Amino acid sequence: MIGAFLITTFLTTIHANAQVSKVWVSDQGNGTYKNPVINADYSDPDAIRVGDDYYLIASSFDAVPGLPILHSKDLVNWTIQGYALLRQPPFDHFSTTQHGNGVWAPAIRYHNNEFYIYYPDPDFGIYVTKAKNINGPWSDPVLVEAGKGLIDPCPLWDDNGKVYLVHAYAGSRAGIKSIVVVKQLSVDGSKVIDEGKLVYDGHETDPTLEGPKFYKRNGYYYIFAPAGGVSTGWQLVLRSKNIYGPYERKVVMDQGKSPVNGPHQGAWVDTKTGEHWFLHFQDKEAYGRVVHLQPMTWKNDWPIIGVDNDADGKGEPVVTYKKPNVGKVYPITTPAESDEFNGTTLGLQWQWQANPKATWAFMNTAKGALRLYASQIPDSAKSYWDVPNVLLQKFPAEKFVATTKLTFTINPKIKDERVGLVIMGQSYASIGLRSAKDGLNIVYATCRNAVNGERETEKVLGSLSGKTVYFRVTVNEKAKCEFSYSLDGEKFISTNETFQAEPGKWIGAKMGLFCTRTVVTNDAGWADVDWFRITE
């Protein structure tokens, strides 16, 4: 039952072997921080404070487990807390890869001692899941409103007892975008109960308006929303004394003279000491959408996000800044990266490319390893872009080295079992082992334009007389990747090729592991992955 435990239980458990990153730490140890506070692809972040604790969630698209939950005490030092979505509904639909689909920009709120997460699936509608405890169990997702193109929902519990939902539209499904609507929800927040009203149309001044977040302060309703496009846009705030408007408009942050492009889409949070802060993303192409923290002030009931050096009422992002005053100093922590596989659960950084099967992976506690079984790839798969059982995690910095040690035991009756280390994106590359008639070959494979169905090309680098090998990928500036292998863990032999990592669909490139076969059999080979380490 360890395999089932691996899939269903580790998802909402704090990983005990937390380590401080060797490649990116935001906390500078002197009372200041540097951006990004999370140098990884946590797209479309939303966050709340509950007591002394901050919780951040993000889009997860087709990755499973989905709806990642991160935790912080000071808005600078973050760890992965768990996931709210163990498997993504509809379950059969997401048993195959669905790149770019699935969980888009979600919102998290805490109401009446209960956590609520609203998330959109642009093909099926808006869902809500709830939990009394941030570690779960989270309720099965309920469709708040079915429909195509309904995206980026955020609820508001008003002072009069009514509950409202703001959301936007995806032009790719709804045939219209750049508008936001407000709808009324049932008292329990589980169903939309009216057709809603258009409260703002951004076509003329704020194209690609999306990602709205709903707040109320000093009698004003506020809608924080990004506009202008993911990599080039600005942060817009709308306000009105009436929930249905008319809303006044103000740009409260843009790039200005900073190096931070498209600073927008995120969450306003406060501290117990009365400070205000804003968490948002920056699109960095192959590195994904990384999370920044900005100071936020109020002037005439308008927020200013970042620093307003020219006093025009509009801020720009900071690169370094004084840490938030949360009343005390907390230890330096970072999201999980390396994994020794010595426990009974996977590290929380890992996600599959689709809803997983229990037989894909087990924790081999006797050997202190992750055992991956060579699962058959779908007949329809043209490349690993289409293979569900690829285990991946996000890039943790602009420059880093990922190394893994594994032992591969093949089924001698079949050939073309494979295991390896991969950099996944719309094009991808891998280094791995492939079983052949004469044993194990070490192979380097690339797949250009995998997103459009192109096939791999493969180069045999040598043969492996034993079963154990070390694989490494060195990621340099601009996400240029160099693969290598070693037989002793010390001397690494390069492929002598450079692979340019590419984003996935709405996400950054990822790295990870695969173990597959191409034929039907009643048994298969396996790989025991001893460890996976991220270093400088």
Side-chain angles (χ1 to χ4, degrees):
M1 293 300 293
I2 293 176
F5 176 84
L6 172 68
I7 292 172
T8 60
T9 306
F10 87 96
L11 307 177
T12 52
T13 304
I14 299 174
H15 199 240
N17 299 320
Q19 299 176 351
V20 175
S21 174
K22 296 179 180 178
V23 294
W24 184 265
V25 178
S26 174
D27 192 327
Q28 301 192 95
N30 60 1
T32 67
Y33 70 92
K34 61 181 179 180
N35 272 318
V37 288
I38 307 173
N39 201 5
D41 183 25
Y42 287 95
S43 177
D44 311 321
D46 191 34
I48 54 171
R49 177 177 66 85
V50 180
D52 295 325
D53 298 287
Y54 294 92
Y55 300 107
L56 179 147
I57 65 172
S59 301
S60 52
F61 301 98
D62 66 332
V64 180
L67 283 172
I69 302 168
L70 283 78
H71 171 256
S72 178
K73 288 285 192 178
D74 61 6
L75 294 170
V76 172
N77 294 285
W78 293 89
T79 56
I80 307 172
Q81 182 88 13
Y83 295 85
L85 200 60
L86 306 187
R87 292 173 179 272
Q88 189 157 189
F91 301 127
D92 287 344
H93 180 76
F94 285 103
S95 66
T96 60
T97 57
Q98 296 288 335
H99 296 283
N101 302 329
V103 177
W104 286 21
I108 183 170
R109 292 294 182 265
Y110 189 68
H111 175 71
N112 279 350
N113 300 314
E114 195 165 22
F115 292 95
Y116 290 73
I117 294 178
Y118 287 79
Y119 76 88
D121 182 313
D123 296 308
F124 296 100
I126 293 169
Y127 292 89
V128 64
T129 178
K130 302 188 293 183
K132 294 286 188 182
N133 188 297
I134 195 68
N135 293 320
W138 288 86
S139 65
D140 292 337
V142 171
L143 260 179
V144 175
E145 183 176 14
K148 283 188 175 293
L150 312 178
I151 60 167
D152 308 348
C154 184
L156 176 71
W157 282 264
D158 206 351
D159 307 330
N160 59 9
K162 293 184 178 181
V163 190
Y164 298 95
L165 187 78
V166 64
H167 74 78
Y169 288 90
S172 59
R173 275 79 163 182
I176 191 170
K177 63 177 185 175
S178 302
I179 62 173
V180 292
V181 299
V182 170
K183 297 175 178 177
Q184 192 171 344
L185 291 174
S186 57
V187 174
D188 65 358
S190 66
K191 292 291 180 185
V192 166
I193 59 174
D194 67 11
E195 293 183 355
K197 293 180 173 61
L198 174 70
V199 296
Y200 191 76
D201 187 328
H203 281 94
E204 294 182 3
T205 56
D206 300 293
T208 318
L209 179 72
E210 56 188 355
K213 296 293 181 287
F214 227 164
Y215 306 99
K216 193 174 186 181
R217 177 184 184 270
N218 288 352
Y220 281 104
Y221 296 95
Y222 289 93
I223 298 174
F224 286 46
V230 169
S231 61
T232 57
W234 51 89
Q235 181 63 38
L236 184 73
V237 169
L238 310 171
R239 76 174 188 185
S240 175
K241 291 282 189 176
N242 187 301
I243 198 162
Y244 294 117
Y247 278 85
E248 302 173 85
R249 166 197 181 271
K250 186 175 177 60
V251 176
V252 299
M253 178 177 63
D254 62 14
Q255 180 172 353
K257 297 179 180 178
S258 82
V260 182
N261 60 291
H264 60 43
Q265 185 143 344
W268 160 34
V269 292
D270 65 3
T271 68
K272 281 188 170 182
T273 62
E275 294 180 349
H276 300 266
W277 295 84
F278 188 75
L279 290 151
H280 68 95
F281 75 74
Q282 175 197 11
D283 186 281
K284 294 178 68 176
E285 298 178 342
Y287 296 103
R289 301 175 187 180
V290 301
V291 181
H292 288 239
L293 176 67
Q294 304 298 337
M296 178 171 144
T297 56
W298 289 88
K299 184 176 181 180
N300 300 325
D301 285 321
W302 284 108
I304 300 170
I305 300 175
V307 292
D308 184 13
N309 293 323
D310 56 6
D312 66 350
K314 179 176 61 178
E316 64 181 54
V318 300
V319 176
T320 63
Y321 205 75
K322 183 180 179 180
K323 287 174 61 180
N325 177 10
V326 294
K328 62 183 294 187
V329 176
Y330 289 94
I332 292 176
T333 57
T334 54
E337 298 165 3
S338 299
D339 202 335
E340 296 297 312
F341 304 123
N342 287 333
T344 58
T345 60
L346 269 174
L348 292 173
Q349 65 268 39
W350 298 105
Q351 296 170 291
W352 299 100
Q353 284 204 132
N355 284 335
K357 295 180 180 178
T359 53
W360 289 353
F362 292 77
M363 300 307 295
N364 187 343
T365 54
K367 293 188 175 182
L370 168 66
R371 177 160 290 188
L372 299 174
Y373 282 97
S375 181
Q376 185 179 357
I377 65 174
D379 292 338
S380 59
K382 295 180 179 178
S383 71
Y384 278 104
W385 177 260
D386 305 316
V387 174
N389 60 306
V390 181
L391 185 64
L392 300 169
Q393 63 168 289
K394 308 171 191 297
F395 279 21
E398 289 192 13
K399 297 192 297 182
F400 63 92
V401 177
T403 310
T404 189
K405 177 187 177 184
L406 61 86
T407 301
F408 195 29
T409 303
I410 62 172
N411 181 339
K413 297 179 181 179
I414 61 177
K415 65 176 183 177
D416 205 25
E417 291 185 313
R418 295 179 63 181
V419 65
L421 171 67
V422 64
I423 294 290
M424 179 59 68
Q426 295 189 45
S427 295
Y428 70 82
S430 69
I431 189 167
L433 299 176
R434 176 170 55 79
S435 63
K437 290 182 179 179
D438 54 352
L440 288 173
N441 289 332
I442 302 169
V443 296
Y444 175 64
T446 57
C447 188
R448 307 288 179 180
N449 204 21
V451 63
N452 289 320
E454 294 299 318
R455 307 222 177 226
E456 283 188 4
T457 59
E458 182 181 276
K459 180 170 72 174
V460 176
L461 304 176
S463 60
L464 184 68
S465 57
K467 294 182 178 181
T468 300
V469 68
Y470 301 77
F471 291 129
R472 171 173 288 175
V473 61
T474 300
V475 179
N476 298 303
E477 290 182 353
K478 298 182 180 179
K480 294 185 182 298
C481 306
E482 298 178 6
F483 288 84
S484 57
Y485 70 94
S486 173
L487 304 182
D488 59 9
E490 295 182 6
K491 179 184 177 182
F492 279 82
I493 302 167
S494 175
T495 61
N496 294 317
E497 294 190 29
T498 299
F499 172 74
Q500 176 63 62
E502 295 181 6
K505 281 283 194 79
W506 310 120
I507 63 172
K510 287 185 172 184
M511 59 181 166
L513 303 161
F514 61 86
C515 187
T516 62
R517 56 184 163 89
T518 57
V519 300
V520 177
T521 179
N522 65 355
D523 204 358
W526 65 85
D528 280 330
V529 185
D530 193 357
W531 44 258
F532 189 100
R533 295 173 183 165
I534 305 298
T535 56
E536 291 182 299

PDB file of all heavy atoms in Angstrom, residues 418 428-432 443-447 456-459:
ATOM      1  N   ARG A 418      13.260   2.517 -20.542  1.00  0.00           N
ATOM      2  CA  ARG A 418      14.096   3.719 -20.461  1.00  0.00           C
ATOM      3  C   ARG A 418      13.937   4.390 -19.106  1.00  0.00           C
ATOM      4  O   ARG A 418      12.858   4.382 -18.512  1.00  0.00           O
ATOM      5  CB  ARG A 418      13.712   4.717 -21.561  1.00  0.00           C
ATOM      6  CG  ARG A 418      13.976   4.239 -22.973  1.00  0.00           C
ATOM      7  CD  ARG A 418      13.550   5.257 -24.010  1.00  0.00           C
ATOM      8  NE  ARG A 418      14.310   6.497 -23.896  1.00  0.00           N
ATOM      9  CZ  ARG A 418      14.123   7.558 -24.679  1.00  0.00           C
ATOM     10  NH1 ARG A 418      13.190   7.524 -25.622  1.00  0.00           N
ATOM     11  NH2 ARG A 418      14.840   8.651 -24.524  1.00  0.00           N
ATOM     12  N   TYR A 428      12.234  19.621 -25.555  1.00  0.00           N
ATOM     13  CA  TYR A 428      12.863  19.063 -24.364  1.00  0.00           C
ATOM     14  C   TYR A 428      14.105  18.269 -24.732  1.00  0.00           C
ATOM     15  O   TYR A 428      14.364  17.953 -25.899  1.00  0.00           O
ATOM     16  CB  TYR A 428      11.882  18.196 -23.568  1.00  0.00           C
ATOM     17  CG  TYR A 428      11.482  16.883 -24.207  1.00  0.00           C
ATOM     18  CD1 TYR A 428      12.298  15.761 -24.111  1.00  0.00           C
ATOM     19  CD2 TYR A 428      10.279  16.763 -24.891  1.00  0.00           C
ATOM     20  CE1 TYR A 428      11.929  14.552 -24.683  1.00  0.00           C
ATOM     21  CE2 TYR A 428       9.897  15.563 -25.461  1.00  0.00           C
ATOM     22  CZ  TYR A 428      10.729  14.454 -25.352  1.00  0.00           C
ATOM     23  OH  TYR A 428      10.369  13.260 -25.923  1.00  0.00           O
ATOM     24  N   ALA A 429      14.897  17.944 -23.711  1.00  0.00           N
ATOM     25  CA  ALA A 429      16.088  17.118 -23.882  1.00  0.00           C
ATOM     26  C   ALA A 429      16.241  16.236 -22.659  1.00  0.00           C
ATOM     27  O   ALA A 429      15.785  16.585 -21.562  1.00  0.00           O
ATOM     28  CB  ALA A 429      17.327  17.987 -24.079  1.00  0.00           C
ATOM     29  N   SER A 430      16.905  15.086 -22.843  1.00  0.00           N
ATOM     30  CA  SER A 430      17.093  14.153 -21.733  1.00  0.00           C
ATOM     31  C   SER A 430      18.383  13.382 -21.909  1.00  0.00           C
ATOM     32  O   SER A 430      18.906  13.234 -23.018  1.00  0.00           O
ATOM     33  CB  SER A 430      15.916  13.180 -21.631  1.00  0.00           C
ATOM     34  OG  SER A 430      15.908  12.284 -22.739  1.00  0.00           O
ATOM     35  N   ILE A 431      18.889  12.882 -20.790  1.00  0.00           N
ATOM     36  CA  ILE A 431      19.984  11.915 -20.811  1.00  0.00           C
ATOM     37  C   ILE A 431      19.514  10.721 -19.994  1.00  0.00           C
ATOM     38  O   ILE A 431      18.897  10.883 -18.930  1.00  0.00           O
ATOM     39  CB  ILE A 431      21.293  12.518 -20.258  1.00  0.00           C
ATOM     40  CG1 ILE A 431      22.447  11.555 -20.493  1.00  0.00           C
ATOM     41  CG2 ILE A 431      21.156  12.917 -18.793  1.00  0.00           C
ATOM     42  CD1 ILE A 431      23.816  12.197 -20.277  1.00  0.00           C
ATOM     43  N   GLY A 432      19.750   9.502 -20.530  1.00  0.00           N
ATOM     44  CA  GLY A 432      19.181   8.357 -19.839  1.00  0.00           C
ATOM     45  C   GLY A 432      19.776   7.044 -20.274  1.00  0.00           C
ATOM     46  O   GLY A 432      20.769   6.986 -21.016  1.00  0.00           O
ATOM     47  N   VAL A 443      22.051   7.222 -23.521  1.00  0.00           N
ATOM     48  CA  VAL A 443      21.566   7.958 -24.684  1.00  0.00           C
ATOM     49  C   VAL A 443      21.228   9.403 -24.318  1.00  0.00           C
ATOM     50  O   VAL A 443      20.791   9.697 -23.207  1.00  0.00           O
ATOM     51  CB  VAL A 443      20.315   7.280 -25.288  1.00  0.00           C
ATOM     52  CG1 VAL A 443      20.659   5.902 -25.823  1.00  0.00           C
ATOM     53  CG2 VAL A 443      19.199   7.185 -24.268  1.00  0.00           C
ATOM     54  N   TYR A 444      21.481  10.265 -25.276  1.00  0.00           N
ATOM     55  CA  TYR A 444      21.092  11.672 -25.176  1.00  0.00           C
ATOM     56  C   TYR A 444      20.024  11.919 -26.229  1.00  0.00           C
ATOM     57  O   TYR A 444      20.228  11.608 -27.414  1.00  0.00           O
ATOM     58  CB  TYR A 444      22.288  12.588 -25.403  1.00  0.00           C
ATOM     59  CG  TYR A 444      21.950  14.056 -25.439  1.00  0.00           C
ATOM     60  CD1 TYR A 444      21.444  14.706 -24.317  1.00  0.00           C
ATOM     61  CD2 TYR A 444      22.131  14.805 -26.606  1.00  0.00           C
ATOM     62  CE1 TYR A 444      21.144  16.055 -24.339  1.00  0.00           C
ATOM     63  CE2 TYR A 444      21.831  16.160 -26.636  1.00  0.00           C
ATOM     64  CZ  TYR A 444      21.343  16.782 -25.509  1.00  0.00           C
ATOM     65  OH  TYR A 444      21.033  18.135 -25.538  1.00  0.00           O
ATOM     66  N   ALA A 445      18.866  12.435 -25.795  1.00  0.00           N
ATOM     67  CA  ALA A 445      17.750  12.630 -26.723  1.00  0.00           C
ATOM     68  C   ALA A 445      17.283  14.076 -26.683  1.00  0.00           C
ATOM     69  O   ALA A 445      17.291  14.721 -25.625  1.00  0.00           O
ATOM     70  CB  ALA A 445      16.584  11.712 -26.372  1.00  0.00           C
ATOM     71  N   THR A 446      16.886  14.585 -27.823  1.00  0.00           N
ATOM     72  CA  THR A 446      16.272  15.899 -27.900  1.00  0.00           C
ATOM     73  C   THR A 446      14.994  15.799 -28.711  1.00  0.00           C
ATOM     74  O   THR A 446      14.870  14.949 -29.595  1.00  0.00           O
ATOM     75  CB  THR A 446      17.208  16.939 -28.567  1.00  0.00           C
ATOM     76  OG1 THR A 446      17.579  16.481 -29.867  1.00  0.00           O
ATOM     77  CG2 THR A 446      18.452  17.164 -27.729  1.00  0.00           C
ATOM     78  N   CYS A 447      14.057  16.649 -28.378  1.00  0.00           N
ATOM     79  CA  CYS A 447      12.804  16.693 -29.124  1.00  0.00           C
ATOM     80  C   CYS A 447      12.452  18.154 -29.355  1.00  0.00           C
ATOM     81  O   CYS A 447      11.960  18.845 -28.456  1.00  0.00           O
ATOM     82  CB  CYS A 447      11.688  15.994 -28.361  1.00  0.00           C
ATOM     83  SG  CYS A 447      10.165  15.817 -29.327  1.00  0.00           S
ATOM     84  N   GLU A 456      11.434  12.555 -31.114  1.00  0.00           N
ATOM     85  CA  GLU A 456      12.781  12.642 -30.579  1.00  0.00           C
ATOM     86  C   GLU A 456      13.831  12.260 -31.621  1.00  0.00           C
ATOM     87  O   GLU A 456      13.585  11.438 -32.503  1.00  0.00           O
ATOM     88  CB  GLU A 456      12.955  11.696 -29.388  1.00  0.00           C
ATOM     89  CG  GLU A 456      12.370  12.154 -28.095  1.00  0.00           C
ATOM     90  CD  GLU A 456      12.781  11.221 -26.948  1.00  0.00           C
ATOM     91  OE1 GLU A 456      13.582  10.281 -27.181  1.00  0.00           O
ATOM     92  OE2 GLU A 456      12.297  11.438 -25.819  1.00  0.00           O
ATOM     93  N   THR A 457      15.009  12.837 -31.464  1.00  0.00           N
ATOM     94  CA  THR A 457      16.214  12.317 -32.097  1.00  0.00           C
ATOM     95  C   THR A 457      17.139  11.867 -30.976  1.00  0.00           C
ATOM     96  O   THR A 457      17.180  12.473 -29.908  1.00  0.00           O
ATOM     97  CB  THR A 457      16.905  13.364 -32.972  1.00  0.00           C
ATOM     98  OG1 THR A 457      17.249  14.499 -32.163  1.00  0.00           O
ATOM     99  CG2 THR A 457      15.976  13.817 -34.103  1.00  0.00           C
ATOM    100  N   GLU A 458      17.880  10.799 -31.220  1.00  0.00           N
ATOM    101  CA  GLU A 458      18.642  10.181 -30.141  1.00  0.00           C
ATOM    102  C   GLU A 458      20.069   9.905 -30.583  1.00  0.00           C
ATOM    103  O   GLU A 458      20.328   9.541 -31.733  1.00  0.00           O
ATOM    104  CB  GLU A 458      17.954   8.871 -29.737  1.00  0.00           C
ATOM    105  CG  GLU A 458      18.603   8.141 -28.579  1.00  0.00           C
ATOM    106  CD  GLU A 458      17.871   6.845 -28.269  1.00  0.00           C
ATOM    107  OE1 GLU A 458      16.871   6.882 -27.538  1.00  0.00           O
ATOM    108  OE2 GLU A 458      18.308   5.784 -28.791  1.00  0.00           O
ATOM    109  N   LYS A 459      20.987  10.103 -29.648  1.00  0.00           N
ATOM    110  CA  LYS A 459      22.390   9.797 -29.894  1.00  0.00           C
ATOM    111  C   LYS A 459      22.887   8.876 -28.791  1.00  0.00           C
ATOM    112  O   LYS A 459      22.737   9.174 -27.608  1.00  0.00           O
ATOM    113  CB  LYS A 459      23.216  11.083 -29.922  1.00  0.00           C
ATOM    114  CG  LYS A 459      24.701  10.851 -30.165  1.00  0.00           C
ATOM    115  CD  LYS A 459      25.446  12.149 -30.425  1.00  0.00           C
ATOM    116  CE  LYS A 459      25.576  12.966 -29.166  1.00  0.00           C
ATOM    117  NZ  LYS A 459      26.425  14.176 -29.385  1.00  0.00           N
TER     118      LYS A 459
END
